[in-house]
Amino acid sequence: KRTRIQLHFNRVVAVLKSSKVTTIAELRAMMIRYCRDEHLAQNALIGIEIALHKNNLLGSFFERILPDMMARGSRILEFFEGGEVVPLQPDDDGRVILSRPKCACLISLMFLCALPNNQMSFSSLLYSQQSYQVAKLQFFLNYFDRMSNYLPDDPPGFVTVTKNVLPYERYDWGGSKEPLMPFRVQSRSEICDNLEAMQVDFAHAEIGGGLLFRGCGEEEMRFCMAPELSLACLVCSRMMPNEAVIVTGAERFSKATGKGYMMQFGGNYVDPTPKAEDTSILSCMVCIDPSRFDKFQEKLMRLQMSRQVMQRECDKVVSGFWQTADTNRYISVATGRWGSGVMHGDPEVKVLVQWMAASECARELDYHLAYEVKERKFIQRLREFVSKMLEMEVTVGQLWDACQDLADYDVKSGSLFESITSLVQGWREQEREMEAEREEQGLGELGVHTPTGSFRGGRSPAASG
């Protein structure tokens, strides 16, 4: 029995195989035959015409690129039984492995507005004249230009989309004995340039965010530079607070310039990332979505450091950084101001969250932040804080306890690093005084008993969830 999806793709494949398109108007007419979308019906495809001119592809698009896209898209029923791409289920670990020709097939159908129910449709981009929307088309056209130079069953390798789910029970951060791992401030490079590390995607709960609409944040830019990342949008539902999505094997095809609404296509990029034995690209993107605050909550440290918020953020990040078969090879995590900016999270709190989670997973942290005038003081303070924490051999549990002790006080935004340093130094001094007192009493090597995860006495760690 043929499903509605199969009937849809039967029609799409028939149209793609029978059509010869030589103009933008003919492209729109072809898509209208299988796609019921008011944008296509009411608007000329001005956006793609501008993008083709900017990329100098207007001639080769109709001669080589578009025919290749249509040929790849028409293989949907060959690649997927009934045309169905089985999605990952909510709150359930799982993975989807796609050969890169299958990836090209799906991305072609996305661009041609040929997926069922207008899923992941490019229609709103194809007619837009906004510069950042046109830039998105330029990124994807560069990808298709590169793909058209491969044979139909190439390129080799696989893209894997994995969902990591942390059990709903709260993780026992205060009971952790793990030492804080090395932390490097990278002020001269960007996250996407750190080829040997897991790279953090400043994600939305809905993977991809506004990629095909008006979004122009960090996540949208990353997905434009490496279009195979967009397949996560197809197979993943909205992330739960205890979930993360990992995408491995996606190749970067383009450079980008500018930020936000000033984002622009920066030209072709040849990805130097090493390859695995099966020729898959050894890239790894960790999609984790931070809590969103409004601008009035940005300076409310008591809220941002509350146990509930910190628990959610740390659980979210550790679900992405956890050691798995796909990510064991990565020693470090490349990140930056995750959860700050438009999410209005305090940057110092988010540093601590990511450092604790990376250390709990035995990974080092590379923190990328442009060395601009406005950031110099923050970079200096961060480096001093990291140096003192490592010098005092602070554990994950102890850093968590310090955060919880300070959460009830009115710590000013912009002074958290110094407050934690002062608190931990006080604990150390108290520990030395108690040891000296015990030695005077002849207790010698007994020393001071410090409960797991805390410099202080009187509290044992809670049972791990």
Coordinates of all heavy atoms in Angstrom, one line a residue, residues 227-310:
P227 N 26.3 22.9 4.7 CA 24.8 22.6 4.5 C 24.4 21.2 4.9 O 23.2 21.0 5.2 CB 24.7 22.8 2.9 CG 25.7 23.8 2.5 CD 26.9 23.5 3.4
E228 N 25.3 20.3 5.0 CA 24.9 18.9 5.5 C 24.5 18.9 6.9 O 23.8 18.0 7.3 CB 26.1 18.0 5.3 CG 26.4 17.7 3.8 CD 27.8 17.1 3.5 OE1 28.7 17.4 4.3 OE2 27.9 16.3 2.6
L229 N 24.8 20.0 7.7 CA 24.3 20.1 9.0 C 22.8 20.2 9.1 O 22.2 19.9 10.0 CB 25.0 21.3 9.8 CG 26.5 21.2 10.0 CD1 27.0 22.6 10.6 CD2 26.8 20.1 11.0
S230 N 22.3 20.8 8.0 CA 20.8 21.1 8.0 C 20.0 19.8 8.0 O 18.8 19.8 8.3 CB 20.5 21.9 6.7 OG 20.7 21.2 5.5
L231 N 20.6 18.7 7.8 CA 19.9 17.4 7.8 C 19.4 17.1 9.2 O 18.4 16.4 9.4 CB 20.8 16.3 7.3 CG 21.2 16.4 5.8 CD1 22.2 15.4 5.4 CD2 19.9 16.3 4.9
A232 N 20.1 17.7 10.2 CA 19.6 17.5 11.6 C 18.2 18.1 11.8 O 17.4 17.6 12.6 CB 20.6 18.1 12.6
C233 N 17.9 19.1 11.0 CA 16.6 19.7 11.1 C 15.5 18.7 10.6 O 14.3 18.8 11.1 CB 16.5 21.0 10.2 SG 17.8 22.2 10.5
L234 N 15.8 17.9 9.7 CA 14.9 16.9 9.1 C 14.6 15.7 10.1 O 13.5 15.2 10.1 CB 15.4 16.3 7.8 CG 15.2 17.2 6.6 CD1 15.9 16.5 5.4 CD2 13.8 17.5 6.3
V235 N 15.6 15.3 10.8 CA 15.5 14.1 11.6 C 15.3 14.3 13.1 O 15.1 13.3 13.8 CB 16.7 13.1 11.3 CG1 16.8 12.8 9.9 CG2 18.0 13.7 11.8
C236 N 15.4 15.5 13.5 CA 15.3 15.8 15.0 C 14.1 16.7 15.3 O 13.9 17.7 14.7 CB 16.6 16.5 15.5 SG 18.1 15.5 15.3
S237 N 13.4 16.3 16.3 CA 12.3 17.1 16.9 C 12.9 18.1 17.8 O 14.1 18.2 18.1 CB 11.3 16.2 17.6 OG 11.9 15.5 18.6
R238 N 12.1 18.9 18.4 CA 12.5 20.0 19.3 C 13.2 19.3 20.5 O 12.8 18.3 21.1 CB 11.3 20.7 19.9 CG 11.6 21.9 20.8 CD 10.4 22.6 21.3 NE 10.7 23.6 22.3 CZ 11.0 24.9 21.9 NH1 11.0 25.2 20.6 NH2 11.2 25.8 22.8
M239 N 14.4 19.8 20.9 CA 15.2 19.2 21.9 C 14.6 19.5 23.3 O 14.1 20.5 23.6 CB 16.6 19.8 21.9 CG 17.5 19.2 20.9 SD 19.3 19.7 21.1 CE 19.2 21.5 20.6
M240 N 14.6 18.4 24.1 CA 14.2 18.5 25.5 C 15.4 19.1 26.3 O 16.5 19.1 25.9 CB 13.7 17.2 26.0 CG 12.6 16.5 25.2 SD 11.1 17.5 25.3 CE 10.6 17.1 27.0
P241 N 15.1 19.5 27.6 CA 16.2 20.1 28.4 C 17.3 19.1 28.7 O 18.5 19.5 28.9 CB 15.5 20.4 29.7 CG 14.1 20.7 29.3 CD 13.8 19.7 28.2
N242 N 17.1 17.8 28.6 CA 18.1 16.8 28.9 C 18.7 16.2 27.6 O 19.3 15.1 27.6 CB 17.6 15.7 29.8 CG 16.4 14.9 29.1 OD1 15.7 15.5 28.3 ND2 16.3 13.7 29.4
E243 N 18.5 16.8 26.4 CA 19.0 16.3 25.2 C 20.0 17.2 24.5 O 19.9 18.4 24.6 CB 17.8 16.0 24.2 CG 16.8 15.0 24.7 CD 15.6 14.9 23.8 OE1 15.4 15.7 22.9 OE2 14.8 13.9 24.0
A244 N 20.8 16.5 23.7 CA 21.7 17.2 22.8 C 21.8 16.4 21.5 O 21.5 15.2 21.4 CB 23.1 17.3 23.4
V245 N 22.1 17.1 20.4 CA 22.3 16.5 19.1 C 23.7 16.7 18.6 O 24.3 17.8 18.7 CB 21.3 17.1 18.1 CG1 21.5 16.6 16.7 CG2 19.8 16.8 18.5
I246 N 24.3 15.6 18.1 CA 25.6 15.6 17.6 C 25.6 15.3 16.1 O 25.0 14.3 15.7 CB 26.5 14.5 18.3 CG1 26.3 14.5 19.9 CG2 28.0 14.7 18.0 CD1 26.7 15.8 20.6
V247 N 26.3 16.1 15.3 CA 26.4 15.8 13.9 C 27.8 15.7 13.5 O 28.6 16.6 13.7 CB 25.8 17.0 13.1 CG1 25.8 16.6 11.6 CG2 24.3 17.3 13.5
T248 N 28.2 14.5 13.0 CA 29.5 14.2 12.6 C 29.6 14.0 11.1 O 28.6 13.5 10.5 CB 30.1 13.0 13.4 OG1 29.3 11.8 13.1 CG2 30.2 13.2 14.9
G249 N 30.7 14.3 10.5 CA 30.9 14.0 9.1 C 30.5 15.1 8.1 O 30.7 14.9 6.9
A250 N 30.0 16.2 8.6 CA 29.6 17.3 7.7 C 30.8 18.1 7.2 O 31.6 18.5 8.0 CB 28.6 18.2 8.4
E251 N 30.8 18.4 6.0 CA 32.0 19.1 5.4 C 31.6 20.6 5.3 O 30.5 21.0 5.0 CB 32.3 18.6 4.0 CG 33.4 19.3 3.3 CD 33.8 18.7 1.9 OE1 33.2 17.7 1.5 OE2 34.7 19.3 1.2
R252 N 32.6 21.5 5.5 CA 32.4 22.9 5.4 C 32.8 23.3 3.9 O 33.8 22.9 3.4 CB 33.2 23.7 6.4 CG 33.1 25.2 6.2 CD 34.0 25.9 7.2 NE 34.1 27.3 6.9 CZ 35.0 28.1 7.5 NH1 35.9 27.7 8.4 NH2 35.1 29.4 7.2
F253 N 31.9 24.0 3.2 CA 32.1 24.4 1.8 C 32.3 25.9 1.6 O 32.8 26.2 0.5 CB 30.9 24.0 1.0 CG 30.7 22.5 0.8 CD1 30.1 21.7 1.8 CD2 31.2 21.9 -0.3 CE1 29.9 20.3 1.6 CE2 31.1 20.5 -0.5 CZ 30.4 19.7 0.5
S254 N 32.0 26.7 2.6 CA 32.1 28.1 2.3 C 32.7 28.9 3.5 O 32.7 28.5 4.6 CB 30.7 28.7 2.0 OG 30.1 28.0 1.0
K255 N 33.1 30.1 3.2 CA 33.5 31.1 4.2 C 32.4 32.1 4.4 O 31.5 32.2 3.6 CB 34.7 31.9 3.7 CG 35.9 31.1 3.3 CD 37.0 32.0 2.7 CE 38.2 31.2 2.2 NZ 39.2 32.0 1.5
A256 N 32.4 32.7 5.6 CA 31.4 33.7 5.9 C 32.0 35.0 6.4 O 33.1 34.9 7.1 CB 30.4 33.2 6.9
T257 N 31.4 36.1 6.1 CA 31.9 37.4 6.7 C 30.7 38.1 7.4 O 29.6 37.8 7.0 CB 32.5 38.3 5.7 OG1 31.5 38.6 4.7 CG2 33.7 37.6 5.0
G258 N 31.0 39.0 8.3 CA 29.9 39.7 9.0 C 29.2 38.8 10.0 O 29.3 37.6 10.1
K259 N 28.4 39.5 10.8 CA 27.6 38.8 11.8 C 26.1 39.3 11.7 O 25.9 40.5 11.3 CB 28.2 39.1 13.2 CG 29.6 38.6 13.5 CD 29.6 37.1 13.6 CE 31.1 36.7 13.9 NZ 31.2 35.2 14.0
G260 N 25.2 38.5 12.2 CA 23.8 38.9 12.2 C 23.3 39.3 10.9 O 23.5 38.6 9.9
Y261 N 22.6 40.4 10.8 CA 22.0 40.8 9.5 C 23.0 41.3 8.5 O 22.7 41.6 7.4 CB 21.0 42.0 9.8 CG 19.7 41.5 10.5 CD1 19.5 41.9 11.8 CD2 18.9 40.6 9.9 CE1 18.4 41.4 12.5 CE2 17.8 40.1 10.6 CZ 17.5 40.5 11.9 OH 16.4 40.0 12.6
M262 N 24.3 41.4 9.0 CA 25.4 41.8 8.1 C 26.1 40.6 7.5 O 27.1 40.7 6.8 CB 26.4 42.7 8.8 CG 25.8 44.0 9.4 SD 25.0 45.0 8.1 CE 26.5 45.5 7.1
M263 N 25.6 39.4 7.8 CA 26.2 38.1 7.3 C 26.2 38.1 5.8 O 25.3 38.5 5.1 CB 25.4 36.9 7.8 CG 25.9 35.6 7.3 SD 24.9 34.2 7.9 CE 23.3 34.4 7.0
Q264 N 27.4 37.7 5.3 CA 27.6 37.7 3.8 C 28.4 36.4 3.4 O 29.1 35.8 4.2 CB 28.4 38.9 3.3 CG 27.7 40.2 3.5 CD 26.5 40.3 2.6 OE1 26.4 39.8 1.5 NE2 25.4 41.0 3.1
F265 N 28.1 35.9 2.2 CA 28.9 34.8 1.7 C 30.3 35.3 1.4 O 30.5 36.2 0.7 CB 28.2 34.3 0.4 CG 29.0 33.3 -0.4 CD1 29.1 32.0 0.1 CD2 29.5 33.6 -1.6 CE1 29.8 31.1 -0.6 CE2 30.2 32.6 -2.4 CZ 30.4 31.4 -1.8
G266 N 31.3 34.5 2.0 CA 32.7 34.9 1.9 C 33.5 34.2 0.8 O 34.7 34.3 0.8
G267 N 32.8 33.3 0.0 CA 33.6 32.6 -1.0 C 33.7 31.1 -0.7 O 33.3 30.6 0.4
N268 N 34.3 30.4 -1.6 CA 34.5 28.9 -1.5 C 35.5 28.6 -0.4 O 36.4 29.4 -0.2 CB 34.9 28.4 -2.8 CG 34.9 26.9 -2.8 OD1 34.0 26.2 -2.5 ND2 36.1 26.3 -3.3
Y269 N 35.4 27.5 0.2 CA 36.3 27.0 1.2 C 36.6 25.5 1.0 O 35.7 24.7 0.8 CB 35.7 27.2 2.6 CG 36.5 26.8 3.8 CD1 37.5 27.6 4.3 CD2 36.3 25.5 4.4 CE1 38.3 27.2 5.4 CE2 37.0 25.1 5.5 CZ 38.0 25.9 6.0 OH 38.8 25.5 7.1
V270 N 37.8 25.2 1.0 CA 38.3 23.8 0.9 C 38.6 23.3 2.3 O 39.5 23.7 3.0 CB 39.5 23.6 0.0 CG1 39.9 22.2 0.0 CG2 39.2 24.2 -1.4
D271 N 37.8 22.4 2.8 CA 37.8 21.9 4.2 C 39.1 21.0 4.4 O 39.2 19.9 3.8 CB 36.6 21.2 4.6 CG 36.4 21.0 6.1 OD1 37.4 21.1 6.8 OD2 35.2 20.8 6.5
P272 N 40.0 21.4 5.3 CA 41.2 20.6 5.5 C 41.0 19.6 6.7 O 42.0 19.0 7.1 CB 42.3 21.7 5.9 CG 41.5 22.7 6.6 CD 40.1 22.8 6.0
T273 N 39.8 19.5 7.2 CA 39.6 18.5 8.3 C 40.0 17.1 7.9 O 39.7 16.7 6.8 CB 38.1 18.5 8.7 OG1 37.7 19.9 9.0 CG2 37.9 17.6 9.9
P274 N 40.7 16.4 8.8 CA 41.2 15.0 8.5 C 40.0 14.1 8.2 O 38.8 14.5 8.6 CB 41.9 14.6 9.7 CG 42.3 15.9 10.4 CD 41.3 16.9 10.1
K275 N 40.2 13.0 7.5 CA 39.2 12.1 7.2 C 39.4 10.7 7.9 O 40.5 10.3 8.1 CB 39.1 11.9 5.7 CG 38.7 13.1 4.9 CD 38.6 12.9 3.4 CE 38.2 14.2 2.7 NZ 38.1 13.9 1.2
A276 N 38.3 10.0 8.1 CA 38.4 8.7 8.7 C 38.7 7.6 7.6 O 38.9 8.0 6.4 CB 37.0 8.3 9.3
E277 N 38.9 6.4 8.0 CA 39.2 5.3 7.0 C 38.2 5.2 6.0 O 38.5 4.8 4.8 CB 39.4 4.0 7.8 CG 40.7 4.0 8.7 CD 40.9 2.6 9.4 OE1 40.1 1.7 9.1 OE2 41.8 2.5 10.1
D278 N 36.9 5.4 6.3 CA 35.8 5.3 5.3 C 35.6 6.6 4.5 O 34.6 6.8 3.9 CB 34.5 4.9 6.0 CG 34.0 6.0 6.9 OD1 34.7 7.0 7.1 OD2 32.9 5.8 7.5
T279 N 36.6 7.5 4.7 CA 36.7 8.8 4.0 C 35.6 9.9 4.5 O 35.5 10.9 3.9 CB 36.5 8.7 2.5 OG1 35.1 8.3 2.1 CG2 37.4 7.7 1.9
S280 N 35.0 9.5 5.6 CA 34.1 10.5 6.2 C 34.9 11.7 6.8 O 36.0 11.4 7.4 CB 33.2 9.9 7.3 OG 32.4 8.9 6.8
I281 N 34.4 12.9 6.8 CA 35.0 14.0 7.4 C 35.0 13.9 8.9 O 33.9 13.6 9.5 CB 34.3 15.3 6.9 CG1 34.2 15.4 5.4 CG2 35.0 16.5 7.5 CD1 35.5 15.6 4.7
L282 N 36.1 14.1 9.6 CA 36.2 13.9 11.0 C 35.8 15.2 11.7 O 36.5 15.8 12.5 CB 37.6 13.5 11.4 CG 37.9 12.0 11.1 CD1 39.3 11.7 11.4 CD2 36.9 11.1 11.8
S283 N 34.6 15.8 11.3 CA 34.1 17.0 12.0 C 33.0 16.5 13.0 O 32.4 15.5 12.8 CB 33.5 17.9 10.9 OG 32.4 17.3 10.3
C284 N 32.8 17.4 14.0 CA 31.9 17.1 15.0 C 31.2 18.4 15.5 O 31.9 19.2 16.1 CB 32.5 16.3 16.2 SG 31.4 15.9 17.5
M285 N 29.9 18.5 15.3 CA 29.2 19.6 15.8 C 28.2 19.2 16.9 O 27.5 18.2 16.8 CB 28.3 20.2 14.7 CG 27.4 21.4 15.1 SD 28.4 22.9 15.4 CE 28.6 23.4 13.7
V286 N 28.3 19.9 18.1 CA 27.5 19.6 19.2 C 26.4 20.7 19.4 O 26.7 21.9 19.6 CB 28.4 19.6 20.5 CG1 27.5 19.2 21.7 CG2 29.5 18.7 20.4
C287 N 25.2 20.3 19.2 CA 24.0 21.2 19.2 C 23.4 21.2 20.6 O 22.8 20.2 21.0 CB 23.0 20.8 18.1 SG 23.6 20.7 16.5
I288 N 23.6 22.3 21.3 CA 23.0 22.4 22.7 C 22.4 23.8 22.8 O 22.9 24.8 22.4 CB 24.1 22.2 23.8 CG1 25.4 23.0 23.4 CG2 24.4 20.8 24.0 CD1 26.4 22.9 24.5
D289 N 21.2 23.8 23.3 CA 20.4 25.1 23.4 C 20.4 25.6 24.8 O 20.0 24.9 25.7 CB 19.0 24.9 22.9 CG 18.2 23.8 23.6 OD1 18.7 22.6 23.6 OD2 17.2 24.1 24.3
P290 N 20.8 26.8 25.0 CA 20.8 27.4 26.4 C 19.5 27.9 26.8 O 18.5 28.1 26.0 CB 21.8 28.6 26.2 CG 21.6 29.0 24.8 CD 21.3 27.8 24.0
S291 N 19.3 28.2 28.1 CA 18.1 28.9 28.6 C 18.1 30.3 28.0 O 19.1 30.9 27.8 CB 18.1 28.9 30.1 OG 18.0 27.6 30.6
R292 N 16.8 30.7 27.8 CA 16.7 32.1 27.3 C 16.1 33.0 28.4 O 15.2 32.7 29.1 CB 15.7 32.1 26.1 CG 15.4 33.5 25.6 CD 14.3 33.5 24.5 NE 14.8 32.9 23.3 CZ 15.4 33.6 22.3 NH1 15.7 34.9 22.5 NH2 15.8 33.0 21.3
F293 N 16.8 34.1 28.6 CA 16.3 35.1 29.6 C 15.9 36.4 28.8 O 16.4 36.6 27.6 CB 17.4 35.5 30.5 CG 17.9 34.3 31.3 CD1 19.1 33.6 30.9 CD2 17.3 33.9 32.5 CE1 19.5 32.5 31.6 CE2 17.8 32.8 33.2 CZ 18.9 32.1 32.8
D294 N 15.2 37.3 29.4 CA 14.9 38.6 28.8 C 16.0 39.6 29.2 O 16.8 39.3 30.1 CB 13.5 39.1 29.1 CG 13.2 39.3 30.5 OD1 14.1 39.9 31.2 OD2 12.2 38.9 31.0
K295 N 16.0 40.7 28.6 CA 17.1 41.7 28.9 C 17.1 42.2 30.3 O 18.1 42.6 30.8 CB 17.0 42.8 27.9 CG 15.8 43.7 27.9 CD 15.8 44.8 26.9 CE 14.6 45.6 26.9 NZ 14.6 46.7 25.9
F296 N 15.9 42.1 30.9 CA 15.8 42.6 32.3 C 16.3 41.5 33.3 O 16.6 41.9 34.5 CB 14.3 42.9 32.7 CG 13.7 44.0 31.8 CD1 12.8 43.6 30.8 CD2 14.1 45.3 31.9 CE1 12.3 44.6 30.0 CE2 13.6 46.3 31.1 CZ 12.6 45.9 30.1
Q297 N 16.5 40.3 32.9 CA 17.0 39.2 33.7 C 18.5 39.0 33.5 O 19.1 38.2 34.3 CB 16.3 37.9 33.4 CG 14.8 38.0 33.7 CD 14.1 36.7 33.2 OE1 14.4 36.2 32.2 NE2 13.1 36.2 33.9
E298 N 19.1 39.7 32.6 CA 20.5 39.5 32.2 C 21.4 39.8 33.4 O 22.4 39.1 33.6 CB 20.9 40.4 31.0 CG 22.3 40.1 30.5 CD 22.5 40.7 29.2 OE1 21.6 41.4 28.7 OE2 23.6 40.5 28.6
K299 N 21.1 40.8 34.2 CA 21.9 41.1 35.4 C 21.5 40.5 36.7 O 22.0 40.8 37.7 CB 22.0 42.7 35.5 CG 22.4 43.4 34.3 CD 23.9 43.1 33.9 CE 24.3 43.9 32.7 NZ 25.7 43.6 32.3
L300 N 20.4 39.7 36.6 CA 19.9 39.1 37.9 C 20.7 37.8 38.2 O 20.3 36.7 37.8 CB 18.4 38.8 37.7 CG 17.5 40.0 37.6 CD1 16.0 39.5 37.4 CD2 17.6 40.9 38.8
M301 N 21.8 38.0 38.8 CA 22.7 36.9 39.1 C 22.1 35.8 40.0 O 22.3 34.6 39.9 CB 24.0 37.4 39.7 CG 24.8 38.3 38.7 SD 25.3 37.4 37.2 CE 26.7 36.5 37.9
R302 N 21.2 36.3 40.9 CA 20.6 35.3 41.8 C 19.7 34.3 41.0 O 19.6 33.2 41.4 CB 19.8 36.1 42.8 CG 19.2 35.2 43.9 CD 18.5 36.0 45.0 NE 19.5 36.8 45.8 CZ 19.3 37.5 46.9 NH1 18.1 37.5 47.3 NH2 20.2 38.1 47.5
L303 N 19.1 34.8 39.9 CA 18.3 33.9 39.1 C 19.2 33.1 38.2 O 19.0 31.8 38.1 CB 17.4 34.8 38.2 CG 16.7 34.1 37.0 CD1 15.7 33.0 37.6 CD2 16.0 35.0 36.1
Q304 N 20.2 33.7 37.6 CA 21.0 32.9 36.6 C 21.9 31.9 37.3 O 22.3 30.9 36.7 CB 21.9 33.9 35.8 CG 21.1 34.9 35.1 CD 21.7 35.1 33.7 OE1 22.5 34.4 33.2 NE2 21.1 36.1 33.0
M305 N 22.2 32.1 38.6 CA 23.0 31.1 39.4 C 22.1 30.2 40.3 O 22.7 29.5 41.1 CB 24.0 31.9 40.2 CG 25.1 32.6 39.4 SD 26.2 33.5 40.5 CE 27.0 32.1 41.3
S306 N 20.8 30.3 40.2 CA 20.0 29.5 41.0 C 20.2 28.0 40.7 O 20.6 27.7 39.6 CB 18.5 29.8 40.8 OG 18.1 29.5 39.5
R307 N 19.9 27.2 41.7 CA 20.2 25.7 41.5 C 19.4 25.2 40.3 O 19.9 24.4 39.5 CB 19.8 25.0 42.8 CG 20.0 23.5 42.7 CD 19.7 22.8 44.0 NE 20.7 23.1 44.9 CZ 21.9 22.4 45.1 NH1 22.1 21.4 44.3 NH2 22.7 22.8 46.0
Q308 N 18.2 25.6 40.2 CA 17.3 25.1 39.1 C 17.9 25.5 37.7 O 18.0 24.6 36.8 CB 15.9 25.7 39.2 CG 15.0 25.2 38.1 CD 13.6 25.7 38.2 OE1 13.3 26.5 39.2 NE2 12.7 25.4 37.3
V309 N 18.3 26.7 37.5 CA 18.9 27.1 36.2 C 20.2 26.5 36.0 O 20.5 26.0 34.9 CB 19.0 28.7 36.2 CG1 19.8 29.1 34.9 CG2 17.6 29.3 36.2
M310 N 21.1 26.5 37.0 CA 22.4 25.9 36.8 C 22.3 24.4 36.6 O 23.1 23.8 35.7 CB 23.3 26.1 38.1 CG 23.7 27.6 38.3 SD 25.0 28.1 37.2 CE 26.4 27.2 37.9

